[in-house]
């Protein structure tokens, strides 16, 4: 089967069949047949693997409390010891 180059490029980028069909004004079945001819799994299975393989520069923020730096830990320990000495 002959596959359109623009469809093949978007499939390799990890777009879904519906997304490609909307962008290129073609039938989703056309995209599905092209995906099958290229032996690519469905886009949901790919999980945008190819798009995520390229670094985007975006950094995800860690969830929860951040670990303290060694300097901050030492400062906290010193403040605690000072407070304990003053209380005694």
């Amino acid at each position: 089967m002959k596959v359109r180059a623009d469809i093949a490029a978007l499939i390799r980028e990890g777009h879904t069949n519906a997304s490609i069909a909307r962008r290129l004004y073609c039938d989703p079945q056309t995209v599905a047949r092209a995906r099958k001819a290229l032996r690519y799994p469905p886009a949901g299975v790919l999980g945008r693997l190819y798009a995520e393989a390229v670094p985007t520069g975006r950094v995800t923020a860690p969830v929860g409390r951040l670990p303290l730096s060694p300097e901050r830990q030492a400062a906290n320990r010193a403040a605690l010891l000072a407070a304990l000495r003053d209380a005694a």
Side-chain angles (χ1 to χ4, degrees):
M1 176 181 172
K2 188 174 183 179
V3 177
R4 287 175 39 184
D6 52 354
I7 293 176
L10 290 175
I11 288 173
R12 287 187 185 102
E13 287 178 12
H15 294 277
T16 63
N17 293 357
S19 169
I20 295 170
R22 274 193 311 272
R23 287 172 183 230
L24 302 178
Y25 303 106
C26 64
D27 188 48
Q29 283 300 323
T30 303
V31 181
R33 283 192 296 270
R35 186 180 297 277
K36 188 174 181 181
L38 292 171
R39 295 185 178 137
Y40 273 79
V45 173
L46 285 176
R48 304 273 314 209
L49 178 66
Y50 300 111
E52 292 172 6
V54 177
T56 60
R58 286 183 253 149
V59 177
T60 56
V63 179
R65 295 182 60 180
L66 294 176
L68 297 177
S69 67
E71 296 84 16
R72 186 71 233 165
Q73 290 176 1
N76 287 349
R77 193 175 308 112
L80 178 62
L81 288 174
L84 290 173
R85 268 184 256 141
D86 292 342

